Amino acid sequence: LAINRHALRADLTLWLDVPVAVALERIAARGKPVERFETGAMLARVRDRYADMHANPPAPLGDVHRIDASQARETVACAIRRRVDALINGPERA
């Protein structure tokens, strides 16, 4: 956040939220070596931080929209598309 303190406010910020257990299952399913940051503890800390930013979005992020990314890929893609469409088709921004 500090590095972006002079950045323009985001038009849209999407948080693709997935429970830690689901993330760990997906990581294991890749069949590749686990990265050093892909531990349950680290993923939980990162998810908690995003939850904080969702509840109290820093100014550069604008409104933060949570999308349940534990769903099927197509369902998540549709949720993303709805948010983007709402932004594009919404009222004109100054």
Side-chain angles (χ1 to χ4, degrees):
L1 294 174
I3 199 168
N4 291 314
R5 68 185 174 278
H6 300 297
L8 296 174
R9 183 179 186 274
D11 289 327
L12 179 64
T13 299
L14 300 176
W15 169 32
L16 303 181
D17 182 26
V18 62
V20 172
V22 174
L24 290 171
E25 288 174 9
R26 290 178 179 178
I27 289 167
R30 287 189 313 214
K32 296 181 180 180
V34 175
E35 300 288 332
R36 67 182 184 155
F37 297 111
E38 295 175 331
T39 66
M42 177 60 85
L43 294 173
R45 285 196 305 270
V46 170
R47 186 171 188 247
D48 288 346
R49 181 66 179 116
Y50 275 99
D52 289 343
M53 286 192 290
H54 179 251
N56 299 299
L61 296 183
D63 293 332
V64 177
H65 300 276
R66 180 190 170 275
I67 293 180
D68 179 1
S70 66
Q71 303 176 79
R73 182 180 297 174
E74 296 79 16
T75 304
V76 175
C78 287
I80 293 169
R81 182 60 187 242
R82 280 193 303 274
R83 288 291 182 178
V84 171
D85 285 347
L87 174 69
I88 292 170
N89 297 321
E92 187 86 20
R93 292 180 183 239

